[in-house]
Amino acid sequence: MFRKRVAAAVMISGLAVATFGAINPASASESAPAAGSVRMWEDPNYTGSQYVDATPANCPDGCDIDGWDGDNEISSVRNETTCTVRLYADDNFGGRSVDLAAGESYSNLELVGFDNDAESFQFVC
Ligand SMILES: [Ca+2]
Ligand SMILES: [Ca+2]
Ligand SMILES: [Ca+2]
């Protein structure tokens, strides 16, 4: 008897939450990350020199990683955009590539087999 009442109470509170959610959905501007960027660092765990800070808007056709400061050095990446970031082993989006998922952080590119190799990248939105 007691168990049944508890179950009913849980169901009712669940309904209340569902109804509240329908009346007050989170607005799109609230839930979307504010102007997210992708950032790339020389060393693991987002340390060392930060060589890249780019958004899909300022890098619509892909971007080069600077030949002196960044090529074959990137070891960690924070992708705070809503797009996949495709890293390429060579300049001009050549060579092998690896996809870094939207909204994901990669503290050590060695774990995805791409440490100290990226030379260019594109957003896949
Ligand atoms: Ca490195
Ligand atoms: Ca390379
Ligand atoms: Ca490059």
Side-chain angles (χ1 to χ4, degrees):
M1 193 64 171
F2 178 71
R3 275 173 170 262
K4 275 188 181 172
R5 280 191 188 168
V6 169
V10 168
M11 276 183 65
I12 289 165
S13 64
L15 278 174
V17 168
T19 305
F20 183 79
I23 293 171
N24 295 297
S27 75
S29 59
E30 258 176 26
S31 57
S37 65
V38 65
R39 291 174 288 160
M40 306 188 191
W41 286 265
E42 175 180 19
D43 297 326
N45 300 311
Y46 326 109
T47 59
S49 297
Q50 186 189 315
Y51 290 129
V52 172
D53 187 352
T55 67
N58 67 27
C59 187
D61 301 316
C63 272
D64 181 43
I65 297 170
D66 188 87
W68 280 106
D69 295 319
D71 268 2
N72 300 313
E73 295 187 54
I74 303 299
S75 291
S76 55
V77 177
R78 279 192 196 279
N79 180 9
E80 290 169 337
T81 74
T82 55
C83 305
T84 295
V85 170
R86 184 163 294 160
L87 291 179
Y88 292 88
D90 300 338
D91 280 329
N92 301 313
F93 324 113
R96 64 197 193 91
S97 65
V98 66
D99 284 354
L100 305 181
E104 293 290 324
S105 294
Y106 297 78
S107 62
N108 188 344
L109 290 182
E110 201 170 7
L111 301 176
V112 293
F114 228 76
D115 194 28
N116 300 321
D117 202 355
E119 294 176 46
S120 58
F121 64 96
Q122 282 178 321
F123 289 104
V124 182
C125 302

